[in-house]
Amino acid sequence: MPLLGPADPLPHVPRRILVAGNAGSGKSTLCLRIARRHDLRRVELDSLYWGPQWTPRPEFLDEVVAFAREDHWVTEYQYKAARPALLARADTVVWLDHRFPVVMARLVSRTIRRRAAGVELWNGNRESSLWSAFTDPEHILRWGWKSYGRNRARVLALVDDVVVVRLRGQGQVERWLSGPLASVGEERAR
């Protein structure tokens, strides 16, 4: 299947959408926007995965498999254990392939904003201190830095299996939302 760009027409009306990209690329925000515009169930994987005190929830994979069986949803393409179940049902992958400096700037800004405001994320968890980025190898900033190349390779490997829409930069995201995705939304409404 060809790799689609922000202006390419979609070959079908997406019903089960995965949004792929690096930490800080805007996956969750785009999922929310797609869900609102196209009446799809929005499932936030982080909220299913993380239990109190940043411990993985044992029910995670069962919950992912259950919602993946549904006919209409949008979620992030993340968590190694969940990817096969999600990909087996997805009909479209939207790839936020933003440049590395853009992604890292967004990730740093988001982390600072959440930490400063004391935002509760999932199940009582909050962002760890920025200084722990120097000591914690799993800190979100370090994770974003080291996973960028792996994420790109992982998504490029999907092109033969599912429709992949590659969006590079926020302008392309907006163009795709108001262009090809809006067009198939009009088809769905008819």
Side-chain angles (χ1 to χ4, degrees), residues 9-78:
L10 292 166
H12 57 265
V13 177
R15 298 188 188 321
R16 293 175 302 280
I17 303 172
L18 293 172
V19 178
N22 206 62
S25 63
K27 295 183 304 291
S28 298
T29 300
L30 184 57
C31 283
L32 191 58
R33 291 179 71 186
I34 292 169
R36 286 181 180 156
R37 288 183 181 197
H38 296 281
D39 198 28
L40 297 175
R41 178 177 179 205
R42 159 75 173 108
V43 180
E44 186 176 27
L45 289 187
D46 284 330
S47 70
L48 297 181
Y49 185 80
W50 293 114
Q53 300 176 349
W54 295 107
T55 55
R57 295 176 59 250
E59 312 87 345
F60 171 68
L61 192 53
D62 291 336
E63 291 173 352
V64 169
V65 168
F67 91 73
R69 288 186 190 125
E70 296 175 16
D71 288 332
H72 301 90
W73 47 260
V74 58
T75 193
E76 302 90 355
Y77 185 59
Q78 57 188 23

Side-chain angles (χ1 to χ4, degrees), residues 108-158:
V108 169
S109 173
R110 181 187 81 183
T111 302
I112 290 170
R113 193 173 51 254
R114 285 177 173 176
R115 180 68 185 175
V119 173
E120 181 179 322
L121 299 172
W122 312 280
N123 300 308
N125 297 307
R126 299 182 192 290
E127 291 279 1
S128 55
S129 102
L130 289 177
W131 301 115
S132 66
F134 297 107
T135 59
D136 179 2
E138 298 303 314
H139 190 280
I140 189 65
L141 297 180
R142 289 175 75 168
W143 177 256
W145 183 279
K146 67 184 178 184
S147 64
Y148 185 79
R150 287 191 313 252
N151 283 327
R152 296 186 92 237
R154 181 180 301 122
V155 178
L156 283 170
L158 302 177

